[in-house]
Amino acid sequence: MYSNVLVALSLEHGISEQALSAARALLSEGGQITAAHIHEPPNKQIMYYMEQNVAEKSYQKAQASLADRLQGEADVNSVILESQSAGRAITEYANKHKIDCIVLASHKPGMKEFFLGSTAALVVRHAHCSVHVLRL
C-alpha cells in the first residue's frame, strides 16, 4: 500500500511494537520503514546552569535507547530528529524525505486537544501524506 513509511516512536512509552506492526501491515513489498525519535534538546536558558556536555550525553542516550528498542528489527532504518516540537519535526522530515505514510500513536488528550493529542493533531494537519494514528 505504501512504499516509504515513517514510524514516530516515543522512547518514553512502550508503543513501538504496535506502531511497527501497523507500519508493516501498511507497507508494500519492497518498501522501507524508518523509525524516528524526536529528541528535545535542553532549553538554552537551562543549559547556562548545566554542564557543557549534558546535551551531547542526552543525545547519545537517546541514540542508545532507539538502538535497543529496534534491536532485531533489521529491516527498519532509524533516525533521531532534534527539535523543540515533535509534530513539526515529524512533518518536516516526512515532507523532505518523500514519506508517503506516517504512523504515530496518540494518548488520550485533555480538553485542549479533545480528539487527538497535540503532536498527532499537528501532524495530521500539516503532513503532505497519509497519517495513521494509533489510539493507545
Side-chain angles (χ1 to χ4, degrees):
M1 185 179 249
Y2 298 104
S3 61
N4 199 3
V5 179
L6 177 65
V7 179
L9 298 178
S10 173
L11 297 176
E12 294 81 31
H13 302 97
I15 60 169
S16 58
E17 294 305 318
Q18 298 99 317
L20 288 171
S21 292
R24 284 192 177 93
L26 296 166
L27 193 64
S28 299
E29 188 174 330
Q32 174 181 319
I33 296 175
T34 302
H37 171 70
I38 292 67
H39 175 258
E40 186 175 332
N43 187 304
K44 290 186 193 286
Q45 287 83 9
I46 294 172
M47 287 298 296
Y48 179 76
Y49 300 101
M50 300 176 103
E51 293 179 30
Q52 194 169 15
N53 63 351
V54 73
E56 181 61 30
K57 285 181 180 178
S58 174
Y59 185 84
Q60 289 173 351
K61 182 179 176 185
Q63 279 185 314
S65 294
L66 183 59
D68 285 347
R69 181 71 57 93
L70 296 176
Q71 191 171 7
E73 305 285 348
D75 60 333
V76 178
N77 299 320
S78 65
V79 65
I80 297 214
L81 309 174
E82 281 199 303
S83 178
Q84 296 293 334
S85 169
R88 185 172 295 126
I90 292 165
T91 55
E92 286 175 359
Y93 183 88
N95 294 340
K96 182 178 179 181
H97 291 88
K98 296 185 169 97
I99 300 293
D100 54 3
C101 180
I102 299 170
V103 175
L104 74 158
S106 181
H107 58 83
K108 287 191 173 191
M111 289 304 289
K112 184 177 176 187
E113 308 91 10
F114 187 70
F115 294 106
L116 288 175
S118 59
T119 299
L122 194 147
V123 171
V124 167
R125 280 195 306 272
H126 296 285
H128 295 219
C129 63
S130 297
V131 179
H132 289 264
V133 180
L134 305 172
R135 176 67 77 196
L136 300 177

